[in-house]
Amino acid sequence: MGHLTSVMKCDTCQSHVPETRRTHSCTKCCLGPLSFHPSTKGLHIIMSKSHRMAERQVSFHNGIVLTNRAISVREQVQLQIERTENMWHGALRLGFTSFCPSHLSQCTLPPYACPDLDRQLGFWVAPLPEECARQGDMISFWVSRRGRIHYRVNDGRDYLLLEDVDVSKPLWGLIDVYGQTVAIKMLGSVKKGRFLTYKVSCPPEALPDMEPQKPIPDINPRPPDSTDQEDEDCLVCFSMAADTVLTCGHQCMCTSCALIIKERFGVCPLCRQVILTISQRCPSSSKSFVV
């Protein structure tokens, strides 16, 4: 597969934020509809009209699909295993690529994500264990700010899949419907905060004037993974790290938003306690200083 990179164009796409993102937003943090890319797919893949269902028709390979838009850091892509066949070995492969799917074509996609793509520059993909991709399972996967790919099966624990992903470039989700995995469905995506889970994608058929969806409380919040402890997203802007600690002890906003909230409202947005001091974490040490 040495010829693969020679037919690929630059690793960024002029329109890596899809058209739906510019014309549609059902919530403040909505990134637009999430589905599979309609044309860049494996030779054996057929899709539903909404491009949310992908099924491999024959054999056990040529089942690569990609997302229709770039996936943001810590955005958890959610898939459901719709159908499996136990006659094959191996199962789903998951990962990311910095190549825009619109710059690829069906004929340039190899039969296998592993090992055809996992050693290529701009691709980060690895197989899931067969027991983690059973029929009916919901799989979530995402990349952290530190470039680590994690995955979760149903409501289980988080597992580390890969490291050293380049998060400085736009990343598209890459899924290989391989082996025992025959059909998958795109459920959407969410972002998990310390206190809330926010839905950041909407159904492709959603209309621009639909009612905004409220944040879904995280009923069973998980403690941070000791292998990948990092700041949560700011609960105000959802784009910067929550790197400040308020008087009450909550760490829920970035520096800019914390200063604005202190000046305009004077209280913590979570517990309503008066903000007397704002301490900012130093990324290079465990010390903090007062803003």
Side-chain angles (χ1 to χ4, degrees):
M1 297 307 299
H3 69 284
L4 184 62
T5 53
S6 64
V7 299
M8 292 180 178
K9 299 181 181 178
C10 60
D11 56 0
T12 58
C13 182
Q14 292 292 336
S15 57
H16 69 267
V17 177
E19 195 67 29
T20 51
R21 179 67 182 93
R22 292 189 283 269
T23 59
H24 170 76
S25 180
C26 63
T27 66
K28 177 182 177 181
C29 54
C30 177
L31 299 177
L34 182 61
S35 61
F36 300 115
H37 195 276
S39 57
T40 304
K41 54 187 175 65
L43 292 173
H44 294 162
I45 288 290
I46 62 168
M47 290 188 185
S48 61
K49 291 182 179 180
S50 65
H51 304 118
R52 295 179 63 201
M53 184 82 72
E55 181 175 356
R56 192 187 71 247
Q57 286 293 283
V58 295
S59 190
F60 61 93
H61 55 9
N62 275 307
I64 294 176
V65 293
L66 299 103
T67 57
N68 67 314
R69 63 167 172 81
I71 304 300
S72 67
V73 170
R74 297 184 64 250
E75 178 184 356
Q76 299 187 12
V77 179
Q78 296 181 328
L79 307 170
Q80 183 162 314
I81 310 295
E82 291 290 299
R83 190 161 69 88
T84 59
E85 289 181 353
N86 294 329
M87 61 185 294
W88 307 110
H89 292 290
L92 201 66
R93 280 90 164 97
L94 296 176
F96 291 92
T97 178
S98 58
F99 290 97
C100 175
S102 298
H103 288 167
L104 306 176
S105 65
Q106 190 177 55
C107 63
T108 61
L109 286 180
Y112 312 97
C114 303
D116 292 338
L117 292 180
D118 61 352
R119 298 178 184 177
Q120 296 275 357
L121 291 176
F123 291 92
W124 301 269
V125 60
L128 259 62
E130 292 180 6
E131 61 270 19
C132 294
R134 302 300 186 189
Q135 187 166 311
D137 283 345
M138 186 183 79
I139 313 294
S140 303
F141 70 101
W142 64 97
V143 61
S144 73
R145 289 194 185 93
R146 296 182 180 180
R148 296 172 176 173
I149 299 178
H150 296 266
Y151 73 94
R152 180 189 310 116
V153 182
N154 300 318
D155 293 323
R157 58 165 292 186
D158 299 348
Y159 293 94
L160 179 64
L161 185 65
L162 277 176
E163 297 184 273
D164 300 324
V165 177
D166 184 0
V167 295
S168 66
K169 301 175 182 178
L171 295 172
W172 286 260
L174 187 153
I175 305 103
D176 189 356
V177 186
Y178 174 83
Q180 294 182 4
T181 308
V182 176
I184 59 174
K185 181 179 181 180
M186 176 66 74
L187 300 179
S189 64
V190 299
K191 267 194 175 182
K192 281 184 174 288
R194 184 176 285 105
F195 304 100
L196 297 173
T197 297
Y198 291 92
K199 188 173 183 180
V200 292
S201 68
C202 53
E205 62 271 16
L207 298 175
D209 58 352
M210 65 185 296
E211 288 292 323
Q213 298 188 2
K214 297 180 180 179
I216 307 170
D218 191 353
I219 300 175
N220 297 307
R222 296 177 177 81
D225 188 346
S226 58
T227 63
D228 192 24
Q229 291 186 5
E230 56 179 320
D231 295 331
E232 302 289 348
D233 284 340
C234 171
L235 290 182
V236 178
C237 65
F238 298 103
S239 59
M240 302 297 291
D243 57 0
T244 58
V245 181
L246 307 181
T247 310
C248 57
H250 283 133
Q251 181 182 329
C252 57
M253 294 183 287
C254 65
T255 303
S256 299
C257 290
L259 292 173
I260 293 173
I261 293 297
K262 182 178 185 296
E263 179 181 353
R264 294 185 181 179
F265 303 100
V267 296
C268 170
L270 296 177
C271 67
R272 317 305 293 176
Q273 185 173 326
V274 175
I275 301 175
L276 299 176
T277 59
I278 300 174
S279 300
Q280 186 177 44
R281 290 180 54 194
C282 297
S284 59
S285 71
S286 59
K287 298 180 181 179
S288 62
F289 56 91
V290 177
V291 178

